[in-house]
Amino acid sequence: MNRSLKPETIGLKAMGQKWSVSYLNRDANHLSIQESPSLSITLDGDVDDLVQVNRALNGWVRRKAQIILGEWLEILSNELSIPFGRLTVRRQRTRWGSCSQANNISLNQNLLFLPHFITRYVLVHELCHCRHLDHSKKFWGLLETFEPNSRQIAAKVREAAD
């Protein structure tokens, strides 16, 4: 069994959190995950089934991202006076976020693993698309009013994608 496939910690850099992960190996067909307020999670069940472990941990990250990114996006939306429609959080392969013509925002759950300033930038970037759906001068001008170093941060976002 390769232990690196079962992490002992999960760092959510965007929130400055480091979660400890423990495993209780019980013969079971089901794997459950419990979260404690002390920034620890426990997987309970057949923890040698790496597919189940991966599925459980990804589900946990998606649920955390839905809550954390959702609350953060609401706060920024109110602060910047830019409303949005609906929020969807999933594990996207090629994008950190997107915005539809209906102002629905989709965010990558893995934003939680990026530094706080990069995650904030992506949220503000997508909110600005609610006003300007393209990457026009008007869009970049609006983004610059909220993120004065947006061009430099955009380069770091591209680096994070590699």
Side-chain angles (χ1 to χ4, degrees), residues 1 3-10 19-36 39-61 63-64:
M1 169 77 227
R3 287 295 293 169
S4 66
L5 298 175
K6 291 171 27 181
E8 294 177 8
T9 60
I10 297 175
W19 289 76
S20 64
V21 183
S22 59
Y23 302 88
L24 289 175
N25 195 1
R26 300 182 201 206
D27 290 330
N29 292 330
H30 180 70
L31 186 68
S32 65
I33 189 165
Q34 292 87 35
E35 180 179 311
S36 86
L39 299 183
S40 67
I41 56 175
T42 302
L43 282 83
D44 187 348
D46 184 4
V47 296
D48 289 330
D49 183 339
L50 297 181
V51 172
Q52 280 193 55
V53 167
N54 183 276
R55 189 176 297 132
L57 290 174
N58 270 302
W60 179 80
V61 170
R63 289 187 299 276
K64 292 301 278 184

